[in-house]
């Protein structure tokens, strides 16, 4: 997989992280996007979304639990829609963050407080 933002990250390296940590790392990018939305820098928001999309693609490539595959791909679709949306919205970003966390109870319990 050819990555733009995570050049040193490989599928093998990514697969060593448990699923809940993968979700947390994707969520961190979405959380960073929120900060850029507040600052009004839509280019940086797009960069954060691109990074999150790359990490999602890595997750899909190494996903052992096929039951969650459909949900993570649907989430990817929602994030991609927000990526191409010209008006970045903090409320939509927040919903995306919580939807992502809801894909794994351990991730949710760690970050959704």
């Amino acid at each position: 997989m050819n990555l733009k933002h995570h050049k040193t990250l490989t599928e093998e390296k990514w697969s060593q992280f448990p699923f809940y940590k993968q979700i947390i790392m994707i969520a961190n990018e979405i959380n960073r996007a929120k900060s850029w939305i507040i600052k009004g820098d839509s280019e940086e928001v797009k960069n954060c979304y691109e990074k999150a999309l790359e990490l999602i693609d890595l997750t899909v490539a190494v996903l052992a639990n096929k039951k969650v595959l459909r949900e993570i791909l649907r989430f990817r679709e929602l994030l991609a829609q927000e990526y191409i949306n010209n008006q970045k919205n903090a409320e939509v970003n927040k919903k995306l963050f919580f939807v992502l966390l809801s894909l794994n109870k351990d991730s949710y319990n760690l970050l959704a407080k």
Side-chain angles (χ1 to χ4, degrees):
M1 186 174 293
N2 196 9
L3 303 175
K4 175 182 173 184
H5 296 283
H6 301 94
K7 294 181 188 315
T8 62
L9 193 56
T10 64
E11 288 179 23
E12 182 181 346
K13 222 186 240 188
W14 188 247
S15 68
Q16 292 174 358
F17 294 108
F19 183 64
Y20 83 94
K21 284 191 178 180
Q22 293 174 359
I23 294 295
I24 287 172
M25 287 186 261
I26 297 165
N28 285 336
E29 291 300 336
I30 293 170
N31 196 42
R32 281 187 195 99
K34 177 186 78 173
S35 299
W36 290 113
I37 290 170
I38 292 167
K39 293 176 183 176
D41 191 333
S42 61
E43 202 56 42
E44 284 300 327
V45 174
K46 287 184 89 165
N47 284 335
C48 291
Y49 287 165
E50 285 176 9
K51 291 174 188 176
L53 289 165
E54 276 189 358
L55 295 177
I56 291 168
D57 291 344
L58 281 169
T59 300
V60 167
V62 303
L63 197 59
N65 180 355
K66 299 300 180 190
K67 290 181 182 179
V68 76
L69 181 61
R70 182 168 51 188
E71 286 82 8
I72 196 134
L73 287 172
R74 177 64 180 129
F75 176 80
R76 187 191 190 291
E77 185 180 327
L78 294 171
L79 181 59
Q81 285 177 333
E82 187 59 16
Y83 172 81
I84 62 174
N85 188 353
N86 289 331
Q87 293 293 326
K88 304 304 183 216
N89 184 310
E91 190 59 34
V92 171
N93 185 276
K94 181 180 179 180
K95 288 177 183 177
L96 286 169
F97 180 81
F98 283 106
V99 167
L100 176 64
L101 292 181
S102 72
L103 296 178
N104 179 271
K105 67 179 172 118
D106 295 326
S107 302
Y108 187 87
N109 289 336
L110 285 170
L111 294 181
K113 297 174 183 168

